[in-house]
Amino acid sequence: MSVNESPGRRPGPDRAVQGNPPPPPATETAAEPPRDRPVSQTAAEIPAARPTTEAPDDETPTENPGAGPAADAPADQQTSAAPVDERTSWVPPDGRDVGVRVDEPSLPRRIRRPSDAIRFLLSVSVIALILLLAHVARHTTSGLASDIASGTERAPHLLLTLANLASGIGVLAVPVAFGVDRVIRRNGLRVAIGVLAAVVALGVSLTLDSWITAAGMRDLAWYLTWKRHGGWFPGPAHIDITPVIAYVTAVGLGGRTRWQLVTWAVIGLDAVASLATGGITPLAVLTTYLIGRAVGYATLYAVGSPNIRPPGDAVVAALRRVGLAPVRAARADDGPEDTRRYTATLADGRAIAVTVLDRDQQTAGLLYRLWRRVRLRGGTPPRTIRSLRRSLEQESLMAYAIAAAGASTPGLLATSEVGSEAALLAYEHVPGRLLADVPDEELTDELLTAIWAQLKLLQDRRLAHRRLAGESVLVGEAGRPYLVDLRAGETAAGDLVLRIDLAQLLTELALRVGAERAVRTAADVLGADALGAAVPLLQNVALARSTRNALHRDRKLLSRIREQIRVLRPELVTAAQPLHLDRFRLRTLVSVLAGTVGAYLLLSQLGNVNLPDLVAHADLRWFAVGALTSAVSYLAAALMLIGFVPERLPLGRTVLVQLVASFVKLVAPAAVGGIAVNTRYLQRAGVPAGQAAASVGASQLTGMVFHITMLALFGYITGSDNNSPSLPPSRIIIVSLLAAAVLAILVLSIGPLRRLVTSRMRSMFSGVLPRLLDVLQSPKKLATGMGGTILLTLAFVLCLDASIRAFGGSLSLTTVAVVFLTGNALGSAAPTPGGLGAVEGALSLGLTLAGLPAGTATSAVLLFRLHTFWLPVLPGWASLSYLQRKEAI
């Protein structure tokens, strides 16, 4: 069971957000209070719950407010959970005529706070940034450390000695004293967690120090720490301080000002003393602090933090303070995961629904909200990080604004803080079911029309709900819909946000009743023009997460919704284009990262090459041969395409199209740009879209089969040549087969990847076989296509060979062919534009393994890429402009 689970929670088949029936009346005889609740106070007498884990030093904190004697149990018993079906009920034994019964499952004693995970990730990110800074900005970091060392040399020697002595003793004595104090106050579990964090931090520090000071990382160790003790490099983590910081983070010193001041004072004094003696640099001090913090937060998230959420008794007490006097209350089994819901019966017989917002849950989903805010251009909430006060005010404002607009929503009766760790909103109780729990056969046109009427009232007043999913609409007992879950609402909303609301509700209802009924009932209320304005927002990125997940079961639903709206307003839908809501796609991010890695590897290789010297000694005759063979490759590519298209194509214009394809490689992966350009060209030439795609697929399939065949053949020939310096057939064949096997296993074992590759291959090669049969009927076409395929590979191999010879290198032609075919395959698979980085790295590595010096291999690859990738850019751009004017592409 997760530390966040509450034992005893068994939601029934029919949930009711506002509509759980009130609990049965309390009996006249007070029940025996359970062991884990105090019996000295009734709910009316309990003050607002405060975080008892931050109790003053003269109090004994408990890990769960209201947990009573259970919190004083030995450490090995404090994490025990209540029985699975136990629900705690308590009638105050004060002898009053009316008691308050709070029926709720036992709160978990420890919870995992999302804020701990976020702080851990943030600390790790900053550590990585510091290590990168120390590696890149070496002179700056070393200069800063030298300035600090020279400044501390002027300090009195006696003062530095006393600081060293005090910090050396205090950095261990203070945490031990705090631990003893906590054990005496019967809070040993907290100390045990702190000790665990300290042990983990020590291990992490030693591991990181060993890694930084290992072979190949000496330069980083030099600039991140000081060299001392005859060549010994201390690592970036101060092993004396890191465990202490992790310990302090895990035990928590919030609310204990004296302990905080003393603990951080001795830690800071120890860091200053280490800086003064030159044993550590400023960046290492910061790294030490962050490592300790990261380990402490990771430990807290792993084992859980004490639960300081106020229980139901404190919620009832807060209701009494705002003039609502419950006589009984119960925890509801529904609602979002980051809120708690209660139903209560007042003294006058009215029922109310209470939503409790816990402070520790306000960071839930923060990373997802940050990702959406960075990725999307608009339509995201104005505030990604919300405080408890902000969440309370936002939901309250939306409740009042929706009621003022005339829409149906449970009336907001009162709001209140519940101590410092929670807040509540008390609503009128509306019996009913969530829309997600209403069976499909009960979703009548009258109900759908009523839901659309609620949305129209919101849109007329510029109110956006932002969460119009099945859990945000409550269907009352009379069939009247109510809008609930107003946490993310927005007033004075812009047009984009309002249209996203419409697209969201339209998709949500279409998932339940179909596109035709959803569009028809919406048009009856909102009008066809409003639906036409929502068409550009009918895309996955604009919808809620739950709706996107549901669309996986019906991927064609959005298209059917557009078609239904097209029937109503064909002119609007035809002119509407999807809005580009995302600033970038995940594919773009992967391409940028892969390109950055490739550029880093390439620049690292260039750092070991004396380019001016190599260029000065380059043979310009071979440079000209390489340029000529590169030009021949475009003629070969044109012949290859013409051979697999039964229709007649002009040779000159087709060559220009291949130059355009080389220009497109600057912004698209190598295997994607050429296919798109050639398909577009064939369509413009009068070839139907399906046959155009089939012709390009046939040429690509033939090229792939020929590529694999030549790789195996040349690999074997190369290894069989005893005069060849390297690349035996066993290495080529075995590595290629293993790589292909691993790739195939990955594709077949990962469901989404398997479906993606299958759909892409099906769309690319559908109709290929009939197109190949058409080509086989014309020997001239077949010879042209196969001749172009062979000539294309030969031109690239000769270009690479000429580039090698231009710098004085020499390899057998078969070896060069194997290296090119391997590098070209990797470049085609890379997601970077034109295979940038992947091609250079693969070709350089292959030539080096073949026996060329590293400098010569790198220079030859750069010259090869200059001929085949960079020099054709300007002619490709000119060809694109010309063909666009001629409407040929």
Side-chain angles (χ1 to χ4, degrees):
M1 178 178 294
S2 168
V3 294
N4 277 315
E5 292 179 327
S6 298
R9 299 282 301 275
R10 287 189 177 180
D14 292 332
R15 299 178 297 171
V17 174
Q18 310 279 351
N20 277 359
T27 57
E28 296 295 333
T29 304
E32 180 69 18
R35 292 188 305 167
D36 61 342
R37 292 193 179 273
V39 296
S40 59
Q41 291 179 306
T42 65
E45 297 170 341
I46 297 177
R50 59 188 181 86
T52 53
T53 56
E54 313 299 341
D57 293 340
D58 56 348
E59 295 180 12
T60 302
T62 61
E63 295 189 356
N64 183 4
D72 293 331
D76 59 347
Q77 300 177 10
Q78 290 185 9
T79 57
S80 60
V84 172
D85 286 325
E86 175 186 359
R87 297 180 69 91
T88 58
S89 303
W90 173 46
V91 180
D94 58 354
R96 292 186 298 174
D97 294 334
V98 179
V100 179
R101 175 177 179 174
V102 181
D103 184 17
E104 67 174 342
S106 299
L107 295 178
R109 290 186 171 88
R110 307 195 69 83
I111 57 175
R112 288 193 177 100
R113 298 183 301 187
S115 58
D116 291 332
I118 294 173
R119 288 168 178 157
F120 166 73
L121 294 176
L122 183 61
S123 300
V124 172
S125 301
V126 177
I127 291 171
L129 182 62
I130 290 175
L131 295 178
L132 178 63
L133 178 64
H135 181 70
V136 175
R138 297 177 177 180
H139 296 291
T140 302
T141 55
S142 60
L144 179 62
S146 300
D147 292 341
I148 293 178
S150 61
T152 54
E153 288 177 356
R154 300 185 180 92
H157 180 71
L158 178 61
L159 181 61
L160 293 178
T161 302
L162 292 177
N164 273 322
L165 181 62
S167 62
I169 297 176
V171 79
L172 296 178
V174 172
V176 170
F178 177 78
V180 172
D181 176 77
R182 291 300 93 195
V183 171
I184 292 175
R185 297 179 185 276
R186 305 187 66 182
N187 198 10
L189 180 60
R190 177 182 297 185
V191 178
I193 294 174
V195 171
L196 174 63
V199 172
V200 174
L202 180 61
V204 171
S205 301
L206 294 175
T207 302
L208 185 60
D209 289 353
S210 301
W211 174 66
I212 292 295
T213 57
M217 304 298 290
R218 292 292 233 177
D219 290 340
L220 181 59
W222 174 273
Y223 291 102
L224 193 60
T225 58
W226 282 114
K227 179 180 179 181
R228 62 179 182 179
H229 298 308
W232 176 70
F233 289 84
H238 198 324
I239 60 175
D240 296 337
I241 306 178
T242 308
V244 177
I245 296 175
Y247 172 85
V248 170
T249 302
V251 298
L253 297 177
R256 298 175 176 84
T257 307
R258 288 173 295 178
W259 283 110
Q260 279 184 326
L261 289 176
V262 174
T263 304
W264 289 112
V266 296
I267 292 175
L269 189 61
D270 187 85
V272 171
S274 299
L275 283 172
T277 57
I280 196 171
T281 62
L283 284 183
V285 172
L286 185 56
T287 306
T288 296
Y289 172 80
L290 291 171
I291 292 175
R293 282 294 198 180
V295 173
Y297 290 133
T299 305
L300 282 177
Y301 189 76
V303 304
S305 301
N307 187 359
I308 56 178
R309 299 172 185 171
D313 303 335
V315 174
V316 171
L319 289 173
R320 287 182 173 273
R321 289 198 306 274
V322 295
L324 301 176
V327 295
R328 53 186 176 270
R331 175 80 175 269
D333 290 329
D334 48 57
E337 295 181 357
D338 54 350
T339 61
R340 286 184 288 152
R341 305 252 176 143
Y342 292 85
T343 56
T345 303
L346 304 181
D348 57 6
R350 289 183 300 160
I352 63 174
V354 182
T355 299
V356 178
L357 308 177
D358 294 303
R359 183 182 300 278
D360 62 88
Q361 287 294 321
Q362 297 310 302
T363 53
L366 176 61
L367 295 179
Y368 175 75
R369 295 196 298 270
L370 285 173
W371 167 252
R372 296 276 292 182
R373 189 169 183 82
V374 170
R375 181 184 178 188
L376 300 184
R377 298 180 185 275
T380 56
R383 291 195 179 186
T384 303
I385 302 176
R386 299 192 300 261
S387 64
L388 179 62
R389 168 64 63 176
R390 171 66 179 173
S391 298
L392 178 65
E393 293 175 348
Q394 182 173 356
E395 185 167 347
S396 303
L397 176 61
M398 278 302 299
Y400 290 132
I402 290 178
S408 299
T409 187
L412 181 62
L413 302 177
T415 62
S416 174
E417 290 186 342
V418 187
S420 61
E421 296 300 317
L424 65 83
L425 300 99
Y427 292 94
E428 293 177 346
H429 173 72
V430 178
R433 293 174 294 174
L434 289 174
L435 181 64
D437 297 328
V438 177
D440 293 346
E441 57 270 15
E442 297 184 20
L443 297 178
T444 62
D445 287 355
E446 291 76 13
L447 176 58
L448 298 179
T449 301
I451 294 174
W452 287 119
Q454 299 300 314
L455 179 65
K456 187 176 189 304
L457 291 173
L458 264 63
Q459 303 243 324
D460 291 343
R461 296 296 183 90
R462 314 292 297 182
L463 301 176
H465 187 283
R466 306 188 66 93
R467 286 177 181 262
L468 286 173
E471 291 76 16
S472 302
V473 178
L474 177 71
V475 181
E477 293 180 345
R480 180 182 179 183
Y482 293 82
L483 299 177
V484 296
D485 192 13
L486 311 177
R487 297 170 294 159
E490 185 176 334
T491 58
D495 290 337
L496 178 61
V497 179
L498 295 178
R499 292 160 66 190
I500 289 178
D501 255 11
L502 174 55
Q504 166 63 34
L505 184 58
L506 189 61
T507 308
E508 187 71 27
L509 293 181
L511 285 168
R512 300 292 306 279
V513 302
E516 188 276 332
R517 286 184 62 194
V519 172
R520 174 169 50 81
T521 53
D524 292 341
V525 178
L526 302 175
D529 292 341
L531 295 183
V535 169
L537 279 306
L538 288 171
Q539 45 185 310
N540 285 331
V541 70
L543 304 177
R545 182 190 294 182
S546 59
T547 307
R548 295 200 304 271
N549 294 335
L551 282 174
H552 291 164
R553 301 189 299 268
D554 190 356
R555 298 180 182 273
K556 301 296 184 181
L557 178 63
L558 295 180
S559 299
R560 292 200 300 272
I561 295 176
R562 296 189 193 99
E563 290 299 324
Q564 291 297 325
I565 300 177
R566 188 192 301 273
V567 175
L568 301 176
R569 282 291 188 271
E571 67 280 1
L572 292 177
V573 178
T574 303
Q577 296 294 330
L579 290 179
H580 294 289
L581 294 178
D582 46 354
R583 291 188 176 93
F584 57 86
R585 297 184 179 181
L586 184 60
R587 182 186 305 171
T588 305
L589 183 62
V590 173
S591 298
V592 171
L593 293 177
T596 303
V597 173
Y600 175 79
L601 295 175
L602 181 61
L603 291 176
S604 299
Q605 293 176 352
L606 290 177
N608 301 322
V609 177
N610 188 352
L611 286 180
D613 182 65
L614 286 173
V615 172
H617 294 84
D619 191 338
L620 295 181
R621 293 173 299 179
W622 286 110
F623 181 91
V625 173
L628 178 62
T629 53
S630 175
V632 171
S633 67
Y634 295 98
L635 174 62
L639 294 174
M640 179 178 175
L641 179 62
I642 291 174
F644 289 97
V645 179
E647 292 80 4
R648 182 178 179 83
L649 297 175
L651 178 60
R653 183 167 290 186
T654 308
V655 172
L656 294 180
V657 171
Q658 305 314 308
L659 284 171
V660 174
S662 67
F663 173 71
V664 173
K665 289 179 183 179
L666 287 175
V667 293
V672 176
I675 294 175
V677 171
N678 286 326
T679 304
R680 177 69 172 174
Y681 168 62
L682 294 181
Q683 291 176 358
R684 286 289 190 176
V687 181
Q691 295 181 9
S695 296
V696 176
S699 64
Q700 293 291 323
L701 179 60
T702 304
M704 182 178 66
V705 173
F706 180 78
H707 193 106
I708 296 174
T709 304
M710 290 298 99
L711 179 61
L713 177 62
F714 284 128
Y716 182 80
I717 294 175
T718 300
S720 301
D721 184 6
N722 295 328
N723 297 324
S724 180
S726 182
L727 295 177
S730 59
R731 177 183 300 178
I732 287 293
I733 296 175
I734 292 176
V735 170
S736 300
L737 290 177
L738 287 178
V742 170
L743 182 61
I745 291 173
L746 288 176
V747 171
L748 294 176
S749 59
I750 301 176
L753 184 60
R754 180 177 64 251
R755 290 189 292 269
L756 175 63
V757 173
T758 302
S759 62
R760 291 291 178 87
M761 296 295 289
R762 184 183 298 115
S763 62
M764 182 181 298
F765 296 117
S766 59
V768 168
L769 184 58
R771 207 61 171 167
L772 285 175
L773 294 177
D774 293 339
V775 172
L776 290 176
Q777 295 176 4
S778 174
K780 181 179 178 181
K781 284 286 185 179
L782 181 62
T784 302
M786 295 303 299
T789 303
I790 297 172
L791 181 60
L792 181 64
T793 301
L794 181 61
F796 280 129
V797 171
L798 292 177
C799 182
L800 180 58
D801 183 69
S803 301
I804 295 172
R805 295 180 184 276
F807 294 100
S810 178
L811 290 175
S812 66
L813 195 61
T814 55
T815 301
V816 176
V818 170
V819 172
F820 164 73
L821 292 171
T822 304
N824 186 60
L826 294 176
S828 300
T832 57
L836 193 63
V839 173
E840 288 82 357
L843 293 180
S844 298
L845 179 61
L847 293 178
T848 303
L849 292 176
L852 281 182
T856 304
T858 303
S859 302
V861 170
L862 291 179
L863 180 57
F864 173 76
R865 292 291 278 173
L866 179 67
H867 286 314
T868 59
F869 185 76
W870 295 110
L871 288 182
V873 168
L874 186 58
W877 172 77
S879 301
L880 177 62
S881 301
Y882 171 78
L883 292 175
Q884 285 180 334
R885 287 197 306 269
K886 297 295 184 180
E887 297 183 353
I889 197 171

